[in-house]
């Protein structure tokens, strides 16, 4: 197969038996990034034809197979990934993770199936048993709440990646949101906008996300030489009612906050309602930031600044880990934290930004 064949037919390369990209890079005398770009069918004009030719020839010597995009290929003929979720209705997180995993799997020409177990080990075992002799590349096990899980033996026999959860013995790959860094980023965002007294309405006690977002909040205060005031931290339960009640309590303090960090967007909805009842404007009087970037956040008045809960990206990363494992690229389980990106909207605008918008609207 020639370079011209690749260009004309729009081929992608898939490693047949696990030779890693750094072997191809060494053989071709280029970087791993260049190998990945050429073998994935990338059309970057930055690569000379001679460079592409060297990568293709080296890949063929190392046993790469070239297949048309969309043609199914998987190590050992294992062409299906099973996504096992505990819940999909109460929150959108596992549906988002499944979408990310499915999109990544389809790029590799691999099927995806989903089962919902409600956390019942017997149901999980029965779901796998019902698949018969279906060739399984691996499993993804996901939970709505970030938490520790015990994996049934029926699942542990397969390649397995945990999404939004982790096992106590660290026997399996796990992919988690970067809640600590997210909590820190949210708090620093408010501090950098001139807010000096920041309230925090936390989530359900005992839940990993609540613990980690509070930890990030405290880290940000400490790094910016702002004393931690326990009176500014209130317990919540992820629901709007808690956001409403705790905002009323915060604003009743002798020295109330000029900003409130709600540990999720739903509590920010209740926070908005309480501030409105008190005759206070967001963000003129009190800036508000949430977490999760639910769809409602962009439609609040004003639109809510928040952080993305990156379940879609976590699902994609899970498939990448399974594919790497199938190719023999991992020697030990890894724990990956995925960044929670900040989405800035009008609920945390500075005084200068507010003035600029008002003048522009005239």
């Amino acid at each position: 197969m020639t370079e011209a064949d690749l260009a004309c037919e729009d081929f992608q390369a898939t490693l047949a038996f696990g030779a890693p990209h750094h072997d191809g890079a060494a053989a071709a005398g280029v970087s791993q990034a260049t190998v990945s770009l050429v073998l994935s069918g990338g059309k970057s004009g930055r690569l000379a034809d001679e460079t592409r030719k060297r990568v293709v020839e080296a890949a063929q010597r190392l046993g790469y197979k070239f297949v048309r995009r969309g043609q199914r290929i998987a190590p050992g003929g294992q062409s299906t990934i099973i996504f096992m979720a505990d819940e999909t209705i109460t929150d959108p997180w596992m549906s988002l993770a499944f979408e990310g995993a499915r999109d990544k799997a389809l790029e590799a020409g691999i099927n995806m199936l989903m089962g919902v177990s409600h956390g019942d080990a017997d149901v999980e075992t029965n779901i796998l048993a019902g698949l018969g002799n279906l060739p399984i590349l691996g499993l993804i096990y996901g939970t709505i709440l970030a938490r520790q899980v015990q994996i049934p033996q029926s699942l542990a026999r397969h390649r397995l990646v945990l999404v939004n959860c982790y096992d106590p013995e660290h026997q399996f790959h796990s992919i988690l949101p970067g809640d600590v860094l997210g909590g820190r980023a949210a708090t620093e965002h408010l501090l950098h906008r001139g807010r000096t007294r920041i309230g925090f309405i936390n989530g359900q006690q005992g839940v990993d996300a609540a613990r980690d977002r509070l930890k990030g909040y405290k880290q940000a205060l400490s790094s910016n030489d702002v004393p931690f005031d326990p009176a500014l931290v209130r317990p919540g339960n992820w629901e709007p009612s808690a956001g409403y009640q705790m905002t009323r309590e915060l604003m009743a303090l002798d020295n109330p906050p000029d900003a409130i960090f709600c540990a999720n967007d739903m509590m920010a909805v209740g926070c908005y309602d309480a501030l409105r009842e008190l005759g206070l404007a967001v963000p003129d009087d009190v800036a508000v930031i949430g977490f999760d970037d639910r769809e409602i956040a962009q439609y609040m008045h004003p639109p809510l600044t928040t952080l993305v809960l990156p379940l879609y990206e976590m699902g994609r990363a899970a498939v990448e880990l399974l594919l790497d494992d199938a190719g023999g690229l991992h020697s030990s389980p890894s724990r990956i934290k995925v960044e929670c990106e900040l989405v800035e909207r009008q609920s945390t605008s500075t005084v200068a930004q507010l003035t600029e918008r008002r003048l522009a609207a005239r």
Side-chain angles (χ1 to χ4, degrees):
M1 180 175 294
T2 66
E3 169 64 14
D5 291 330
L6 291 173
C8 293
E9 295 294 333
D10 190 21
F11 280 67
Q12 73 176 25
T14 302
L15 188 56
F17 301 107
H21 280 192
H22 57 74
D23 288 349
V30 298
S31 68
Q32 293 180 47
T34 299
V35 172
S36 297
L37 182 62
V38 172
L39 298 186
S40 64
K43 304 296 187 196
S44 173
R46 295 180 289 111
L47 298 181
D49 290 341
E50 179 60 29
T51 301
R52 290 180 181 275
K53 182 179 179 180
R54 292 205 314 273
V55 171
V56 170
E57 290 174 350
Q60 290 173 331
R61 291 197 302 272
L62 290 170
Y64 279 82
K65 289 183 179 179
F66 294 86
V67 296
R68 288 179 180 83
R69 283 196 175 118
Q71 179 180 334
R72 284 179 170 77
I73 185 167
Q78 298 170 317
S79 59
T80 302
I81 294 174
I82 309 301
F83 191 112
M84 196 79 71
D86 62 348
E87 297 286 349
T88 58
I89 297 177
T90 55
D91 279 305
W93 311 132
M94 285 302 99
S95 296
L96 285 172
F98 174 74
E99 285 186 14
R102 180 195 59 195
D103 289 350
K104 184 63 181 180
L106 289 175
E107 291 174 11
I110 296 172
N111 295 318
M112 285 284 303
L113 295 177
M114 187 180 203
V116 181
S117 68
H118 302 289
D120 189 317
D122 290 337
V123 172
E124 292 161 359
T125 299
N126 290 337
I127 288 174
L128 287 182
L131 297 175
N133 295 322
L134 185 70
I136 297 176
L137 175 70
L139 305 179
I140 298 172
Y141 188 89
T143 58
I144 281 185
L145 292 176
R147 60 183 176 89
Q148 181 176 289
V149 293
Q150 294 290 339
I151 301 299
Q153 187 58 39
S154 59
L155 276 65
R157 289 196 295 264
H158 297 269
R159 295 187 190 96
L160 179 64
V161 177
L162 307 179
V163 171
N164 211 36
C165 54
Y166 55 92
D167 64 299
E169 293 82 19
H170 306 293
Q171 293 180 314
F172 309 103
H173 296 299
S174 62
I175 304 174
L176 297 158
D179 281 314
V180 174
L181 288 178
R184 179 168 182 158
T187 309
E188 289 186 336
H189 175 78
L190 294 170
L191 290 169
H192 294 163
R193 271 141 192 78
R195 308 294 171 160
T196 58
R197 190 161 168 79
I198 300 171
F200 179 63
I201 303 176
N202 205 357
Q204 182 180 345
Q205 187 175 5
V207 174
D208 286 17
R211 177 200 65 208
D212 289 347
R213 292 172 194 181
L214 174 60
K215 184 176 181 180
Y217 166 82
K218 289 180 176 180
Q219 286 182 359
L221 295 178
S222 176
S223 297
N224 289 273
D225 297 322
V226 176
F228 171 69
D229 183 351
L232 290 175
V233 177
R234 300 286 157 150
N237 60 5
W238 309 117
E239 300 297 332
S241 57
Y244 174 86
Q245 179 182 345
M246 296 305 149
T247 298
R248 298 283 304 208
E249 291 186 11
L250 285 170
M251 301 314 297
L253 294 172
D254 292 338
N255 187 11
D258 58 2
I260 298 176
F261 171 19
C262 296
N264 79 339
D265 294 342
M266 297 310 295
M267 291 193 296
V269 171
C271 174
Y272 268 41
D273 288 343
L275 292 172
R276 191 174 298 111
E277 282 189 4
L278 293 169
L280 299 172
V282 177
D284 305 56
D285 301 308
V286 182
V288 178
I289 193 168
F291 209 114
D292 293 347
D293 195 32
R294 285 179 178 264
E295 186 175 4
I296 193 175
Q298 61 186 306
Y299 300 115
M300 294 169 66
H301 299 284
L304 178 68
T305 296
T306 184
L307 287 96
V308 175
L309 192 58
L311 267 299
Y312 179 88
E313 291 76 12
M314 291 162 64
R316 289 184 64 91
V319 173
E320 290 177 359
L321 284 175
L322 286 177
L323 293 175
D324 285 351
D325 271 4
L329 299 186
H330 290 290
S331 59
S332 60
S334 55
R335 180 169 293 187
I336 297 173
K337 294 292 185 74
V338 180
E339 179 185 2
C340 301
E341 180 185 0
L342 188 141
V343 180
E344 184 175 357
R345 300 190 178 103
Q346 284 75 29
S347 69
T348 56
S349 297
T350 63
V351 173
Q353 289 171 324
L354 289 169
T355 302
E356 183 179 344
R357 289 194 188 98
R358 288 166 183 155
L359 291 174
R362 292 179 180 174

